[in-house]
Amino acid sequence: MIGSGREHEARAEEVGRLLAERGCTVVTGGMGEVMAAASRGAKQAGGTTIGILPGERREDANEWVDHVVVTGIGHARNLAVVASGDAVIAVGGSWGTLAEIGLASRLGRTVVILEPGLSVEGVARASSPEEAVELALGKLR
Amino acid sequence: MIGSGREHEARAEEVGRLLAERGCTVVTGGMGEVMAAASRGAKQAGGTTIGILPGERREDANEWVDHVVVTGIGHARNLAVVASGDAVIAVGGSWGTLAEIGLASRLGRTVVILEPGLSVEGVARASSPEEAVELALGKLR
Amino acid sequence: MIGSGREHEARAEEVGRLLAERGCTVVTGGMGEVMAAASRGAKQAGGTTIGILPGERREDANEWVDHVVVTGIGHARNLAVVASGDAVIAVGGSWGTLAEIGLASRLGRTVVILEPGLSVEGVARASSPEEAVELALGKLR
Amino acid sequence: MIGSGREHEARAEEVGRLLAERGCTVVTGGMGEVMAAASRGAKQAGGTTIGILPGERREDANEWVDHVVVTGIGHARNLAVVASGDAVIAVGGSWGTLAEIGLASRLGRTVVILEPGLSVEGVARASSPEEAVELALGKLR
C-alpha cells in the first residue's frame, strides 16, 4: 500500500482492513498518513504489517507496524516498498507515489490506483477499496 | 537527461549537444539508447558527460561517458541520476522514466518533458530540444 | 544475524533458536548458508523471521523466512539488514559481513562477533551462541 | 580514496596529488576531512575529481569536487564510492571506512590501506602515499 494525503486516510484504512481479512500481509513505507491508516486498518482486522522506513531510526515507524525495516536509503526505499509486495495499491499520493508506481510497474508488479488518485496511463483503477483489493488479488491468481 | 526508446535517440542527441554548448555537464544513467545518444551529442559538442550505472561493472557504460559512476543499487540508481542534475529533461521513456520524474519532482528538481513524451500532470513540456533546454536552464536562473 | 560460510551453519542455527526463545524477531539477509540456518533455528523455536533480499525476486528467499523484504539494491541491502536490528550477531562471514559490521557500528547498533569469526578491533566477541545472545540482549538493556 | 580523520589530511592530500599526476580521476565521498584533502591535492596537480554524496543536496560537496554526484541514499552511497573506483586507497578512517573496505573487497576492487590505518586481514598495506599509489596502480596493470 502506497500513497499520501490526510484526506485519503479513511479509504487507506479500509484497504488495510480488507487486505488483512484476505490474509494478506500489508507492507507500507511505515510513516504517517495513509501508511499509518492502512497499517491501523490491517491491525484492527488481526493482520500483520511491515513498515519499510527511509531513515535510520526504528522509532520513526508508526505504532501499527509489526515489523520495522530500517533501510537508511531515503527515497530509494520506495523501491523496496513496492518490490516487497506481490501487488501495489495506491491511495492518494503525490510525487513519491508516482515514483513508486513507476518502479512497481518496471518490476512487473500488479498496480491498482484507487479513485480519486494519480493519473497514470496504463495502470488499473478501482472505484472503491473493495474493488482495489479484488483487482490486486485477482490479478495475482 | 533521462528516458528510453530507440525512436527518441535523434532528439536525445540534440538535447545532449545543446546542453554541452551551453556549458552544462550531461548526466545520464550511462546505458544505451537515449542515454548513449545524449552522451554522444554532448561529446560531439565538446562537453563533459557522467553516467550513473545501476550495476557493479564499469564496462557497462556506453562509450561516450567520461566519468563512470558505478552504484550497484539497481533501479535505486534512478534517484542518483535525477538528484545529481540541477534540471532533468525526459526524452521518451517508460516506467523507469516515470519513476525518475516522480523522484526528481519530489526532490524539487526542475523537470521538463520533451514532446512526444510521458503524460504527467504538473510537469513542464517542450515541443523541441531547443525549448526543452531553454526551459530547463531558464528555470534554473 | 549476519555472516556466511557453510561450516558455521550449526552455530547460526543455534543463535537463531536462542534469539527466538527470547522473543526476538530474527532478521537476516534472507539467502542461504548461515542466513538460512539462523532462520531455520528461529522457526524451530516458534519464532518470527524477516529476510531482506538484495535482488528483485521474492522467490530468492530461503524457506524459513516469514516476511520477505525485496530491496533491489544489491549489496546496499547490507545497510538495511543491520539497520533493522537492535543488535547484530556475526557468525562466520567474509567481506560482506565485514561491511555489515562497519555499517552497524557506524549506526550505533550493538555488534557481537561469535568465535571463530572475523577479526575487528573494538567489537565485542562471544565464545558460544549463548554468550553471543546474552551480550546482544544484555547490551540492549 | 576513502577514509576520515583530520589528522590524516596531509597524507590524503598527497595521495590525491600523486593520483592526479598519474592521470587518475580521484573519486571520494565528496564531504570534508580526508575526502576534501584528497580532492584538493588532485586539483592542485591539475587532476579531475568526483564526489559521491550521501545526501540530497549538491551544496554539501567540498569546493574541490569537479563533478558532484548526489545519491540520496545515505551510508549506502559507500557502495557507489568504492564501486566507482578501479582501486581504493584508505587513509585513516573509522567504521564507515571499514564498511567501504569490505564492500570494495566484496566487489573485487583492489584495496590498499595507507599506514597508519585500519587493521583488516587480507588487505594490502602501504607505508607512504607513494607506495599506496604504486600498489593501487601496479595491481591494476
Side-chain angles (χ1 to χ4, degrees), chain C residues 68-80:
Chain C
V68 180
V69 174
V70 179
T71 66
I73 56 172
H75 294 297
R77 78 81 149 78
N78 290 11
L79 176 62

Side-chain angles (χ1 to χ4, degrees), chain A residues 19-125:
Chain A
L19 286 170
E21 287 176 359
R22 302 298 192 92
C24 298
T25 298
V26 175
V27 180
T28 71
M31 308 289 281
E33 297 186 1
V34 303
M35 296 178 268
S39 303
R40 187 171 58 238
K43 290 313 293 175
Q44 286 166 351
T48 299
T49 59
I50 296 175
I52 302 180
L53 297 172
E56 298 173 356
R57 296 156 33 92
R58 294 177 63 83
E59 305 85 70
D60 293 338
N62 68 64
E63 60 183 296
W64 296 281
V65 172
D66 292 323
H67 302 296
V68 180
V69 174
V70 179
T71 66
I73 57 173
H75 295 296
R77 80 80 150 77
N78 291 11
L79 176 63
V81 173
V82 298
S84 296
D86 291 310
V88 176
I89 298 176
V91 182
S94 182
W95 295 118
T97 306
L98 184 72
E100 288 172 315
I101 292 171
L103 292 166
S105 301
R106 180 70 182 74
L107 293 178
R109 299 299 189 272
T110 295
V111 182
V112 179
I113 296 174
L114 175 59
E115 300 280 9
L118 295 174
S119 174
V120 184
E121 276 179 56
V123 175
R125 305 184 77 83

Side-chain angles (χ1 to χ4, degrees), chain C residues 9-24 26 33-49 62-66:
Chain C
E9 289 182 16
R11 263 166 302 149
E13 188 170 330
E14 179 71 2
V15 167
R17 189 177 66 75
L18 292 168
L19 286 171
E21 287 176 358
R22 302 297 193 94
C24 298
V26 175
E33 297 186 358
V34 301
M35 296 179 267
S39 303
R40 186 171 59 239
K43 290 313 295 176
Q44 286 167 349
T48 300
T49 59
N62 67 65
E63 59 183 298
W64 295 281
V65 172
D66 292 322

